């Protein structure tokens, strides 16, 4: 306690000839510090061994946001600068329309995934090792998106029918993997409520499992239909999936739930009420 107060009082006091301002500041610092210690003690006592092996969400948020930012930036690199002959630049730019469409769809797709990821992180209180690995699997599949996006755009711009079929199958495979990466994450969060903030309703993440499951099925079906019927059918399904995820995303709608920013405060109130 003395160390904490002395750190804040190392500078000369500006008010009071007899150091009254310093004593007042020291009292406030000590009181604030004691309050924080008491709150932490209440949390540890209430949760007991459940806090062992858990970490803060700060580093996970930083890594995830950085990954999404890089992925979105890499998408524009798939729009190649045309090497047109003199007088043919306009024609070449028009012929590159598949790249523009692929970029727009992929940009919105990554944006919706980021919103969903942000929605999930906002409801976390702590992390465990399993959730860290599951989050890495989500980021790993998201980072793949620029690759099939560029392949798909090139196939529709310069390739034949077989190239387009191969491209839609590749895109469907990557997109299905990305959807599948969310399934164990939601299941893990549903089974470990200790990782969630205190006001997150029970079963919320169990209900979220439906969306990635639908994505896996429709992306797989799109790849099959694109190969055996026509690649345009698969592309239509891909665009529909982006619209579906955007329309059903909790990250783009106002959340009626008021989640506590400091879960210790609500927990402390509950403990005091019971006592």
């Amino acid at each position: 306690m003395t160390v904490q107060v002395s750190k804040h009082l190392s500078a000369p006091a500006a008010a009071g000839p007899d150091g009254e301002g310093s004593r007042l500041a020291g009292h406030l610092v000590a009181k604030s510090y004691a309050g924080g210690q008491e709150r932490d003690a209440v949390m540890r006592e209430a949760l007991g061994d459940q806090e062992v092996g858990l970490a803060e969400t700060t580093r996970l948020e930083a890594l995830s946001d950085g990954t999404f930012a890089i992925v979105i930036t890499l998408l524009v690199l798939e729009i190649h600068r045309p090497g047109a002959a003199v007088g043919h630049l306009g024609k070449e730019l028009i012929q590159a329309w598949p790249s523009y469409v692929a970029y727009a769809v992929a940009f919105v797709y990554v944006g919706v995934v980021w919103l969903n990821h942000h929605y999930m992180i906002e409801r976390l209180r702590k992390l465990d090792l399993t959730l860290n690995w599951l989050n890495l699997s989500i980021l790993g599949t998201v980072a793949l998106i620029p690759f099939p996006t560029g392949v798909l755009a090139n196939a529709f711009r310069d390739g034949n029918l077989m190239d387009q079929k191969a491209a839609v199958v590749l895109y469907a495979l990557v997109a299905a993997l990305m959807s599948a990466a969310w399934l164990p994450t939601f299941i893990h969060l549903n089974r470990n409520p200790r990782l969630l903030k205190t006001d997150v309703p029970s079963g919320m993440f169990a209900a979220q499992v439906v969306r990635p499951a639908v994505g896996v099925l429709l992306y797989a079906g799109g790849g099959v239909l694109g190969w055996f019927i026509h690649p345009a059918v698969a592309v239509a399904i891909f665009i529909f999936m982006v619209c579906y995820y955007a329309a059903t995303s909790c990250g783009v709608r106002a959340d009626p739930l008021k989640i506590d920013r400091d879960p210790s405060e609500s927990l402390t109130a509950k403990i005091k009420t019971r006592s």
Side-chain angles (χ1 to χ4, degrees):
M1 184 76 70
T2 305
V3 174
Q4 293 293 329
V5 174
S6 61
K7 286 182 178 178
H8 290 80
L9 300 180
S10 57
D18 56 352
E20 183 177 351
S22 297
R23 288 195 298 272
L24 178 59
H27 174 71
L28 292 176
V29 171
K31 184 177 179 180
S32 176
Y33 179 74
Q37 291 287 82
E38 181 182 358
R39 187 167 59 250
D40 292 342
V42 172
M43 282 290 293
R44 287 194 297 269
E45 181 181 356
L47 296 173
D49 295 337
Q50 293 185 8
E51 292 292 278
V52 176
L54 301 186
E56 300 293 335
T57 63
T58 307
R59 297 191 67 185
L60 181 142
E61 294 179 56
L63 174 64
S64 302
D65 287 344
T67 301
F68 280 108
I70 292 173
V71 171
I72 285 180
T73 303
L74 291 177
L75 289 175
V76 75
L77 299 180
E78 299 301 331
I79 303 179
H80 301 291
R81 185 169 54 189
V86 177
H88 294 81
L89 179 60
K91 179 181 178 181
E92 290 290 331
L93 289 174
I94 294 175
Q95 290 178 345
W97 68 266
S99 296
Y100 311 146
V101 175
Y103 168 79
V105 173
F107 185 92
V108 174
Y109 193 17
V110 175
V112 171
V113 175
W114 176 80
L115 288 170
N116 286 326
H117 189 273
H118 177 71
Y119 179 86
M120 179 185 73
I121 296 299
E122 280 294 301
R123 276 133 194 88
L124 296 182
R125 186 181 64 84
K126 293 284 187 177
L127 299 172
D128 60 4
L129 180 60
T130 301
L131 185 57
N132 270 311
W133 280 109
L134 292 174
N135 185 70
L136 286 175
S137 68
I138 293 176
L139 298 182
T141 53
V142 170
L144 288 173
I145 292 180
F147 170 58
T149 299
V151 172
L152 188 65
N154 291 336
F156 274 85
R157 184 182 60 222
D158 302 323
N160 57 18
L161 183 61
M162 289 305 299
D163 293 333
Q164 295 170 8
K165 288 184 175 182
V168 296
V169 169
L170 173 65
Y171 191 98
L173 176 62
V174 172
L177 286 175
M178 187 174 66
S179 295
W182 289 85
L183 290 172
T185 304
F186 289 151
I187 294 173
H188 180 69
L189 290 175
N190 182 61
R191 292 178 177 177
N192 293 272
R194 64 176 183 154
L195 303 178
L196 306 178
K197 293 180 178 178
T198 55
D199 289 345
V200 175
S202 176
M204 189 193 78
F205 283 104
Q208 295 291 325
V209 171
V210 175
R211 298 173 63 249
V214 169
V216 172
L217 292 176
L218 288 185
Y219 278 124
V224 173
L225 294 176
W227 180 267
F228 289 103
I229 297 181
H230 196 278
V233 178
V235 173
I237 293 177
F238 299 159
I239 296 175
F240 168 78
M241 285 307 304
V242 174
C243 297
Y244 167 75
Y245 279 139
T248 60
S249 172
C250 295
V252 296
R253 294 199 303 267
D255 188 3
L257 298 174
K258 295 182 179 180
I259 307 300
D260 286 348
R261 296 302 173 187
D262 188 357
S264 62
E265 294 180 0
S266 60
L267 184 58
T268 302
K270 292 178 182 178
I271 294 174
K272 288 182 177 179
T273 301
R274 291 180 181 178
S275 61

